[in-house]
Amino acid sequence: MPYDFLLRNVIAGLVTALLAVSVLFSPFAMIPSMFVGLAWGLYSAIASIVISCILLGIWLNIGIAIGMAITIGLPVIFFVRQALLSRPIQDNENNSSSDTSAVERVYYPPERLIIWAIAFCAIFSFLAFALTANNPGGLPGVLQTLILGNENFIRDIETLYKIELTDNFVKILAETILVLSPLTWMLIILVNLQTAQIIARFFKVNIRPTPDYLIMNLPDRLEFVLAGLVLLIFLSSGWISVFFLTLVCLCLTAYFLLGLAVIHAISRTWNGRSVFIAAIYFIVFLVPWVAILVSIAGLIESRIGIRSRF
């Protein structure tokens, strides 16, 4: 095994393990392994993930290592593989005579990576809901019971926010956590992938060229999927409606990303564009409900093409 291959993957695996167990920086734990994958190939990503899992198993316990392999390792390996998929662009008449090393390649488009992120998180959401379907109240009921059984958590929340955690309030809290967790995971995966690509491009070691997100378009059929899921929310009840609401939020997250592309596109010629973009991200971070407006902008873009007017 080449020394440089081993060294960079050990370093990436070590940093990934350290980030995974930290509270503040755990959302960025995928970046090191995604970086080596996007820079030196899928096998580097796999090696760094294996190393980080081994380190966590030695330092802490096998349970945490398995959890890390599922929540961090699987997304890293899968999305690095998808991002590196490519096919050659070559004139059929010159196939036999042209230099294959100089053939231009087209890589997996970013909108398909977003669709795969929806599917990836939806599958794990389905598994979580299905495995707890026999429990009273399903997965929301399980989480509600866990919250009510944690007296220290309830006391801290009531003290901090000066509210009383009634059973109904805890039920709403549990459902909110279950709805927001998959879309948060989806955003973390995509943000980590983009950050790793930016780093690889900065050091000029990126295999995949950075795509132009301003021309990104989502499939038209996603709108029909979203409409069908919204209808299923009203036709179902209990934990099943919570599951469909989770899927709706995952689809809306895709349109949220498209809405951000719209904002970037329409402001490209503005003075003080950087300040405006930074302010939008800051407002979305402080007031998450603003993300709904950005998602609506993405939905409108998919219908009438706002970017083409600027």
Side-chain angles (χ1 to χ4, degrees):
M1 181 180 295
Y3 174 76
D4 56 346
F5 176 87
L6 180 62
L7 179 62
R8 62 174 172 254
N9 292 327
V10 167
I11 294 174
L14 176 61
V15 176
T16 296
L18 291 174
L19 292 174
V21 297
S22 67
V23 177
L24 185 60
F25 298 106
S26 57
F28 309 105
M30 300 181 195
I31 294 177
S33 295
M34 283 183 168
F35 165 69
V36 295
L38 294 175
W40 292 285
L42 178 62
Y43 289 126
S44 289
I46 295 174
S48 65
I49 288 297
V50 170
I51 291 170
S52 61
C53 290
I54 293 174
L55 291 175
L56 286 177
I58 295 174
W59 291 343
L60 301 175
N61 58 65
I62 191 64
I64 293 178
I66 294 174
M68 182 268 180
I70 296 173
T71 59
I72 296 176
L74 283 180
V76 166
I77 294 171
F78 179 80
F79 284 95
V80 166
R81 176 192 177 276
Q82 295 301 113
L84 294 180
L85 288 178
S86 65
R87 58 180 175 82
I89 302 177
Q90 193 172 26
D91 187 357
N92 291 332
E93 297 179 357
N94 300 324
N95 276 348
S96 58
S97 59
S98 60
D99 182 6
T100 57
S101 64
V103 173
E104 183 181 357
R105 305 189 69 85
V106 57
Y107 283 82
Y108 210 66
E111 53 266 29
R112 292 192 180 183
L113 290 174
I114 293 175
I115 297 301
W116 270 115
I118 295 175
F120 191 87
C121 296
I123 290 171
F124 277 90
S125 297
F126 171 78
L127 292 175
F129 277 90
L131 291 174
T132 56
N134 292 329
N135 296 86
L139 185 58
V142 172
L143 183 56
Q144 182 180 359
T145 301
L146 291 175
I147 295 175
L148 290 173
N150 192 331
E151 297 180 357
N152 292 331
F153 173 79
I154 293 178
R155 183 173 59 253
D156 292 341
I157 293 296
E158 290 179 339
T159 302
L160 182 61
Y161 295 102
K162 308 298 181 183
I163 58 175
E164 181 181 357
L165 290 184
T166 62
D167 289 350
N168 187 55
F169 185 89
V170 173
K171 178 177 180 293
I172 296 174
L173 177 62
E175 292 176 352
T176 302
I177 292 173
L178 293 176
V179 168
L180 295 181
S181 295
L183 70 87
T184 303
W185 191 28
M186 173 182 168
L187 287 174
I188 288 174
I189 291 171
L190 294 175
V191 169
N192 277 249
L193 187 64
Q194 174 61 14
T195 304
Q197 173 67 19
I198 292 173
I199 297 173
R201 182 182 180 184
F202 177 81
F203 289 106
K204 299 180 180 180
V205 293
N206 55 303
I207 299 174
R208 169 193 173 96
T210 302
D212 185 1
Y213 297 103
L214 298 184
I215 61 174
M216 177 184 71
N217 289 296
L218 295 173
D220 293 337
R221 69 188 69 177
L222 185 60
E223 299 174 14
F224 299 103
V225 172
L226 178 60
L229 291 172
V230 171
L231 180 61
L232 288 173
I233 291 176
F234 294 101
L235 295 179
S236 58
S237 60
W239 65 266
I240 298 178
S241 64
V242 178
F243 171 67
F244 287 129
L245 179 58
T246 301
L247 299 185
V248 166
C249 290
L250 286 174
C251 292
L252 284 176
T253 303
Y255 286 105
F256 167 75
L257 296 174
L258 183 59
L260 291 178
V262 171
I263 293 173
H264 280 265
I266 65 177
S267 63
R268 72 176 81 186
T269 59
W270 294 1
N271 294 326
R273 176 178 183 265
S274 300
V275 177
F276 171 75
I277 295 296
I280 291 294
Y281 281 94
F282 185 70
I283 292 172
V284 169
F285 179 77
L286 289 182
V287 188
W289 293 111
V290 176
I292 297 178
L293 300 178
V294 179
S295 300
I296 293 174
L299 281 166
I300 296 174
E301 161 65 23
S302 66
R303 286 288 87 193
I304 66 175
I306 301 174
R307 289 172 293 179
S308 61
R309 305 170 187 268
F310 293 86

